[in-house]
């Protein structure tokens, strides 16, 4: 079982390396580098997904209707846009010049009907609306025409201060017209004239059933007639726009002071924190000497109380310029910056309070914000319309909703926590209105939100890993994987980012590299012996952990290795074929070889396999090569075939001497020395590389000898002729030997004789040619008679 001591040491080292050096000056580490860290990158407003935005009503938290929050185009916008506020009231006629009193007032089921006399309605009481601005007027008529109109018509007209207007005529209806049981008939009158409240009150509407004569088609039934009057009305309400974003992943620029350390006077630790020993008296707590982080400056001092008020405490500071000697304590005005110094000491005086936390911010972290409020503030209540900025849920500022640009900067160290690596910034804007009903748009826009003070420090700490240990392996095995980075730890660099370097004293034995955080030891082929591997683990700062381990590789006697053969090897039956083979044995020299076929023999000296297959077809030969400890086998596939073997046995030119101008008959004897028929055998005749002729032999059976003749007249200007013949020049016939298909002969040619001798010879030649022509003609007639069909006989 592995000892727990290394693990305990590793845990202790990790705890030490994660502690920030805020509370002392003695530290064995050195600073590798410092950097400025943006602890609120969302303030660039480039990523809308990093913000949670919305809008709600002021009191019910329901979704807002007139307010919208968005992050777009590197702007955070809160837009409050109210439309024109309108209300519609219906005013019903109250009198009838035609005494159609059942049609006055609101619809109630009582009605007046007519098949001829007019129904007039007037008297619209608008006295309750005259203080509002008129926006629109619509006629609302509740009437019915029970039957279809064929010839008769129904007209609706209105009489006003500017005259008379026909509003609607109903004629040739397909069925009844029912605005009593269905929705009332509505007609827009807004644009008819420039209405006044007096005009509307005195309007006279006439509903007239006009009969064409004879039997009436139907009748007009009127229940009520009124005006839908839309006016602009005042209103009030409130909506809240909000946006928030949280950064996570870096320590906040604050450092807590340990109230359990230091010296006290009439002070003691209680459950609530530090408080005076005697109620009603004051006590003091003096902190240990503390220094700012490397290359950083301290900002403001903050404290909180769990009992009593912060106003019941005072803070004094003493400075040290060399980190050793300390000056006199000087009182500090709350929320002011600390003077520059190498080290500081605080003294806190408490009366009737209990201090639970004291901290100092670093680099005076501040939030800078700029933007503008634009549009118009018509109807916006200046007392209740504000926008508030929050950091970690605490109010930083409360600003008025006033039109114009703004730029603010607030220190926020009082709202940060050293034990947290997150920062939340949120904005809430209250849009509260008390409006006469006019439409209005007010927009609050933020263009920059930045938080300063963030910093990063990189320390020079060595990584710590568990030793790998010595390894013993066997030759020809796959090697070994040793976990490394999983068992490492570093104060600043993650395991995935650690760099690993290796040294190897025997690169002919093993190869070492890093694979997915593990040490991979690969054995080289046919190697044994010992190597020492050095391992160096580096962090981003170049600090290193070093280790070494030995690797012993034990030797193994390997079997012979026989290389693969061609997938299918064609050979000829009863013909000896030699196939090259490749083999090696790195460990042995005394080897034997054998096959499973009597007609296949292995010769390891010449690296060959000799076969003389007796049968046609596909055959497999198993080749075995063995040393003293083992064997290796390979299968060889053969296609055994019976092939023709064509060659020109002789060339006869018909004369011992040749003379210029002679006609030469080149007679060739072609033999098939193979084991298969050869069909359509082509024979090419050449003289001095010029074609004389091409002859074809239809069939040559195995062992058969056939002849062909090529005739050619010798030119008068040659002295030497190289006669050449080639059989199967196109290699169209599969043969056992393709190298014996040619024959050639070099012949000297005599010059032609003088003219006299030439005439005599020519006479002789002419006679010979004449006789030859007669014999050839007789032969052709005989051949024709032979190939002609027999005489047809009639069968009774």
């Amino acid at each position: 079982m592995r000892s727990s001591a290394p693990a305990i040491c590793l845990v202790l080292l990790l705890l030490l390396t994660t502690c920030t050096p805020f509370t002392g000056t003695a530290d064995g580490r050195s600073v590798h580098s410092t950097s400025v860290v943006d602890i609120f990158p969302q303030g660039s407003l480039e990523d809308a997904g990093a913000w949670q935005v919305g809008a709600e009503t002021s009191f019910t938290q329901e979704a807002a209707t007139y307010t919208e929050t968005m992050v777009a185009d590197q702007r955070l916008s809160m837009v409050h846009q109210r439309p024109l506020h309108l209300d519609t009231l219906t005013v019903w006629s109250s009198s009838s010049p035609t005494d159609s009193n059942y049609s006055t007032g609101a619809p109630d089921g009582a009605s007046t009907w007519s098949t001829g006399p007019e129904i007039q309605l007037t008297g619209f009481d608008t006295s309750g609306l005259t203080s509002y601005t008129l926006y629109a007027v619509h006629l609302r008529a509740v009437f019915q025409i029970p039957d279809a109109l064929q010839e008769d018509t129904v007209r609706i007209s209105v009489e006003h201060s500017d005259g008379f207007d026909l509003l609607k005529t109903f004629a040739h209806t397909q069925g009844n017209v029912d605005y009593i049981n269905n929705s009332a008939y509505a007609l827009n009158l807004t644009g008819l004239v420039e209405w006044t409240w007096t005009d509307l009150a005195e309007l006279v509407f006439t509903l007239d059933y006009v009969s064409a004569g004879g039997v009436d088609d139907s009748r007009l039934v009127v229940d009520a007639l009124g005006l839908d009057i839309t006016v602009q009305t005042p209103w009030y309400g409130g909506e809240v726009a909000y946006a928030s974003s949280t950064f996570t992943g870096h320590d906040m620029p604050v450092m807590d002071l340990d109230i359990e350390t230091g010296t006290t006077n009439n002070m003691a630790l209680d459950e609530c924190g530090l408080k005076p020993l005697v109620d009603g008296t004051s006590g003091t707590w003096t902190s240990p000497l503390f220094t700012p982080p490397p290359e950083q400056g301290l900002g403001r001092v903050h404290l909180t109380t769990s009992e009593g008020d912060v106003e019941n405490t005072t803070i004094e500071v003493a400075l040290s310029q060399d980190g050793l000697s300390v000056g006199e304590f000087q009182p500090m005005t709350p929320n002011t910056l600390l003077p520059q110094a190498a080290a500081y000491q605080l003294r806190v005086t408490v009366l009737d309070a209990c201090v639970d936390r004291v901290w100092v911010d670093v680099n005076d972290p501040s939030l800078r914000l700029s933007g503008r409020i634009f549009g118009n503030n018509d109807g916006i209540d200046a007392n209740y319309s504000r926008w508030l900025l929050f950091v970690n849920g605490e109010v930083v500022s409360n600003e008025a909703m006033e039109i114009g640009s703004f730029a603010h900067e607030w220190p926020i160290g009082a709202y940060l926590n050293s034990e947290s690596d997150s920062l939340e910034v949120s904005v809430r804007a209250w849009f509260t209105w008390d409006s006469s009903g006019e439409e209005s748009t007010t927009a609050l826009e933020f263009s920059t939100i930045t938080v300063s003070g963030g910093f990063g420090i990189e320390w020079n700490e060595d990584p710590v890993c568990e030793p790998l240990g010595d390894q013993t392996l066997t030759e020809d095995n796959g090697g070994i994987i040793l976990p490394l980075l999983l068992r490492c730890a570093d104060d600043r660099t993650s395991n995935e980012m650690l760099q690993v370097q290796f040294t190897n004293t025997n690169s002919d034995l093993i190869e070492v590299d890093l694979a997915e955080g593990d040490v991979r030891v690969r054995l080289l082929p046919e190697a044994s012996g010992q190597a020492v591997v050095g391992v160096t683990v580096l962090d981003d700062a170049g600090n290193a952990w070093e280790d070494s381990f030995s690797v012993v590789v034990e030797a193994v006697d390997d079997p012979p290795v026989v290389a693969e053969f061609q997938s299918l090897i064609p050979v000829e039956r009863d013909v000896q074929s030699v196939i090259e083979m490749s083999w090696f044995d790195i460990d042995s020299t005394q080897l034997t070889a054998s096959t499973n076929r009597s007609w296949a023999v292995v010769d390891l000296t010449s690296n060959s396999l000799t076969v003389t297959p007796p049968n046609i077809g596909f055959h497999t030969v198993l080749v075995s090569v063995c040393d003293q400890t083992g064997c290796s086998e390979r299968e060889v596939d053969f296609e055994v075939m019976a092939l023709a073997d064509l060659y020109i046995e002789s060339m006869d030119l018909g004369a011992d001497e040749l003379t210029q101008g002679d006609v030469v008959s080149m007679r060739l004897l072609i033999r098939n020395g193979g084991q298969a028929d050869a069909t359509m055998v082509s024979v090419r005749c050449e003289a001095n590389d010029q074609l004389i002729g091409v002859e074809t032999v239809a069939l040559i059976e195995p062992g058969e000898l056939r002849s062909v003749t090529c005739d050619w007249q010798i030119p008068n200007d040659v002295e030497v002729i190289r006669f050449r013949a080639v059989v199967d020049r196109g290699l169209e016939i599969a043969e056992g030997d393709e190298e014996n298909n040619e024959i050639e002969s070099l012949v000297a040619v005599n010059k032609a004789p003088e003219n006299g001798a030439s005439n005599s010879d020519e006479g002789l030649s002419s006679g010979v040619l004449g006789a030859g022509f007669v014999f050839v003609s007789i032969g052709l007639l005989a051949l024709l008679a032979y190939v002609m069909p027999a005489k047809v006989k009639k069968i009774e």
Side-chain angles (χ1 to χ4, degrees), residues 611-629:
V611 297
T612 309
N615 299 314
I616 296 175
F618 293 93
H619 301 277
T620 299
V621 175
L622 181 65
V623 177
S624 300
V625 179
C626 303
D627 61 10
Q628 293 87 346
T629 59

Side-chain angles (χ1 to χ4, degrees), residues 647-651 667-671 705-708:
Y647 60 92
I648 303 175
E649 193 169 274
S650 65
M651 175 192 294
R667 185 169 181 269
L668 303 172
L669 296 181
I670 313 301
R671 185 179 296 277
L705 183 66
R706 301 292 297 271
S707 67
V708 297

Side-chain angles (χ1 to χ4, degrees), residues 783-795:
L783 179 62
L784 181 62
Y786 175 76
V787 299
M788 287 181 60
K791 183 178 181 180
V792 178
K793 296 181 180 181
K794 183 178 181 182
I795 301 175

Side-chain angles (χ1 to χ4, degrees), residues 463 465 484-490 492-500 514-518 537-540:
C465 305
L484 177 63
L485 295 185
L486 187 63
R487 300 177 179 179
C488 294
D490 188 75
R492 285 289 173 179
T493 306
S494 65
N495 286 15
E496 294 79 7
M497 299 303 296
L498 291 174
Q499 302 297 315
V500 181
L514 190 71
E516 298 183 358
D518 299 331
V537 179
L538 300 168
D539 63 12
D540 290 341

Side-chain angles (χ1 to χ4, degrees), residues 36 82 197 308 421 450 453 460 501 507 531 555 559 582 618 662 687 779:
V36 176
R82 297 189 312 277
W197 290 114
D421 65 348
T450 60
N460 281 332
Q501 298 175 355
S507 58
S582 176
F618 293 93
D662 288 351

Side-chain angles (χ1 to χ4, degrees), residues 372-483:
R372 60 174 179 157
I373 299 175
F374 61 95
N376 59 70
N377 268 358
D378 293 345
I380 291 294
D381 191 321
N383 294 323
Y384 298 101
S385 296
R386 315 282 294 180
W387 63 271
L388 276 68
L389 175 68
F390 298 82
V391 170
N392 290 337
E394 300 288 338
V395 178
V396 175
S397 183
N398 185 335
E399 302 294 326
M401 193 73 69
E402 297 177 350
I403 300 295
S405 300
F406 56 82
H408 301 291
E409 180 176 357
W410 299 281
I412 61 171
Y415 313 108
L416 304 181
N417 192 334
S418 64
E419 297 180 354
S420 174
D421 65 348
S422 63
L423 171 66
E424 180 190 27
V425 176
S426 57
V427 180
R428 296 181 70 87
W430 276 261
F431 297 93
T432 304
W433 68 92
D434 186 359
S435 167
S436 62
E438 296 289 344
E439 60 181 354
S440 176
T441 299
T442 303
L444 172 61
E445 179 184 89
F446 300 97
S447 56
T448 61
I449 303 175
T450 60
V451 176
S452 64
F455 67 95
I457 301 176
E458 188 172 356
W459 303 94
N460 281 332
E461 299 283 0
D462 290 338
V464 178
C465 305
E466 292 187 17
L468 296 172
D470 297 335
Q471 307 296 324
T472 301
L473 306 174
T474 304
E475 178 188 345
D476 297 335
N477 283 347
I480 191 171
I481 300 294
L482 302 175

